[in-house]
Amino acid sequence: ERFANEHAFRDTLEPYFRRREPVLLRNALLLWQDPKELVQWSDLNNLHSWIGPTWVGRVEQGSAYTQAETMEIPFEAYVQYLEQWRTSYGMVKEAAPSDHLLYLAQNNLPSGLQPR
């Protein structure tokens, strides 16, 4: 389904949110008004400045969700990990040993990313 604007997008998704029903979205970012804003989300420096160095989040290490070790680290350390990942492996997940995978677990949204 194509959406004419942000309001139509929200109106369509609202029933799913109320029922807590999963929804698959494809090409949803095409609605974004300013493509430069999308680039900001992929910039680790921007994320770090929005979230701040003191936020501590849960991360999981391992290749399988059910077998991952969970730990807490500051977001600043996670950003450093991501930068090292890019240097060592590029952007290909399969290039790294599975015990090197470290990903954000389920966390509350940091205050720097919450809607204003």
Side-chain angles (χ1 to χ4, degrees), residues 1 3 9 12-13 16-17 21-29:
E1 181 175 346
F3 303 103
F9 182 70
T12 301
L13 292 180
Y16 295 98
F17 287 130
E21 185 177 327
V23 176
L24 176 63
L25 300 176
R26 292 190 176 142
N27 298 320
L29 294 179

Side-chain angles (χ1 to χ4, degrees), residues 24-76:
L24 176 63
L25 300 176
R26 292 190 176 142
N27 298 320
L29 294 179
L30 296 176
L31 290 173
W32 214 286
Q33 298 295 320
D34 186 354
K36 289 179 269 182
E37 290 179 357
L38 289 177
V39 173
Q40 291 176 357
W41 282 97
S42 64
D43 184 325
L44 293 177
N45 291 324
N46 281 339
L47 286 175
H48 186 260
S49 68
W50 295 335
I51 295 174
T54 59
W55 182 77
V56 175
R58 286 184 310 282
V59 295
E60 295 178 355
Q61 182 176 10
S63 60
Y65 178 74
T66 57
Q67 299 172 342
E69 178 184 345
T70 302
M71 63 195 96
E72 290 188 349
I73 63 172
F75 189 71
E76 184 172 37

